[in-house]
Amino acid sequence: QNNRVATMDSVDFNNLKEKITKKALNIVDVVFPQKCVQLSIVLEDTQYTYPLSHIHDNTVIPEIEADSEQPDTKKRKRDNGSVARNTHVPANNVIIQVMEPLKVELLESLDYLSDVKTWIQLNIPRIEDGNNFGVTVQEEVLAEVGRVEDASFTSLEILSKYFVTRAKLVSKCLKYPLISDYRRSTFDLDEKAYIDLQTTCRELRNNYAILYDTIQKNKEKIITPRTSNTSIMY
């Protein structure tokens, strides 16, 4: 009975491995080049080619009149705090329109990379002495996949922090309307965020291209790391 259970488990595992392999090969052969083309088109779209002045124009911060005649500093801060809580400040629409679909692309990339990484790891043979060049190739490709995965994680983290940072700056603008540096910092933050979005999209496109090229050149070694033939990694 135990042997039958072990055999069934082995069959299930092999079916899972075959499913992962099929999915990963489709990602490498079809999805990666498609994403390269799609993101290249996106980068030429109007939303990614705005001048920074357009980003500046979409940074809307209401003008709050400060009552400079109030001698009570605590009372003035309390009043300004009340104004800040009751003043609607819209997000920068250009940033939102670019950021939301890019976040989806980054999340998708993490799914793709996870599948490809699992596929490569499942092809790593048992540890043996000698004839390990193919395994070295697999490890190098895995490291490249891991680098791209880390880049996507980092980009998502940066995007998530943007709103918190902006909210703090906008709050300062409303509380301290006489300090123009807070307002200027908000403009600069939006401009930097737009540049970061452009760079992130371009890097994601480039990473897809690099992974596609690297895996295609070394696919034989990834699938069959130990053979009688010798080869080199491109």
Side-chain angles (χ1 to χ4, degrees), residues 81-92:
S82 177
V83 169
R85 287 192 297 273
N86 294 288
T87 302
H88 172 68
V89 181
N92 190 306

Side-chain angles (χ1 to χ4, degrees), residues 76-87 174-175:
R76 185 163 66 247
K77 287 182 65 177
R78 186 170 61 251
D79 290 345
N80 286 346
S82 177
V83 169
R85 287 192 297 273
N86 294 288
T87 302
L174 299 179
K175 283 185 178 181

Side-chain angles (χ1 to χ4, degrees), residues 54-226:
H54 183 71
I55 309 303
H56 186 286
D57 293 341
N58 279 269
T59 303
V60 179
I61 304 174
E63 294 282 352
I64 303 297
E65 292 186 5
D67 188 357
S68 59
E69 296 181 357
Q70 287 189 29
D72 190 342
T73 303
K74 291 184 178 180
K75 182 176 185 300
R76 185 163 66 247
K77 287 182 65 177
R78 186 170 61 251
D79 290 345
N80 286 346
S82 177
V83 169
R85 287 192 297 273
N86 294 288
T87 302
H88 172 68
V89 181
N92 190 306
N93 286 330
V94 175
I95 301 295
I96 298 299
Q97 290 170 7
V98 176
M99 183 181 293
E100 290 306 315
L102 184 56
K103 284 172 64 177
V104 174
E105 289 288 347
L106 289 169
L107 290 170
E108 284 184 352
S109 75
L110 292 175
D111 287 337
Y112 297 145
L113 295 168
S114 176
D115 289 332
V116 171
K117 185 166 66 173
T118 302
W119 165 62
I120 297 173
Q121 288 171 328
L122 287 175
N123 279 288
I124 296 177
R126 67 183 183 182
I127 300 173
E128 293 181 359
D129 291 333
N131 196 18
N132 285 319
F133 179 75
V135 178
T136 302
V137 172
Q138 290 175 322
E139 292 173 346
E140 290 291 335
V141 177
L142 270 176
E144 186 63 22
V145 175
R147 180 193 66 78
V148 176
E149 193 176 38
D150 289 343
S152 291
F153 273 122
T154 301
S155 296
L156 283 170
E157 185 178 5
I158 291 173
L159 297 185
S160 66
K161 290 180 178 179
Y162 159 76
F163 294 105
V164 175
T165 304
R166 191 178 196 275
K168 290 179 180 179
L169 280 175
V170 169
S171 177
K172 294 290 187 181
C173 290
L174 299 179
K175 283 185 178 181
Y176 307 103
L178 296 180
I179 302 178
S180 59
D181 286 348
Y182 285 133
R183 185 176 294 269
R184 179 67 260 179
S185 294
T186 307
F187 290 137
D188 289 346
L189 178 69
D190 284 353
E191 291 174 2
K192 181 182 181 299
Y194 184 68
I195 294 172
D196 286 342
L197 291 169
Q198 290 175 314
T199 302
T200 298
C201 187
R202 189 175 298 108
E203 287 183 348
L204 182 58
R205 188 271 315 273
N206 294 346
N207 284 334
Y208 277 134
I210 292 169
L211 284 180
Y212 173 76
D213 183 62
T214 302
I215 294 174
Q216 292 297 338
K217 288 176 177 177
N218 298 281
K219 186 184 289 185
E220 182 181 348
K221 282 295 182 184
I222 293 172
I223 297 174
T224 312
R226 289 200 175 112

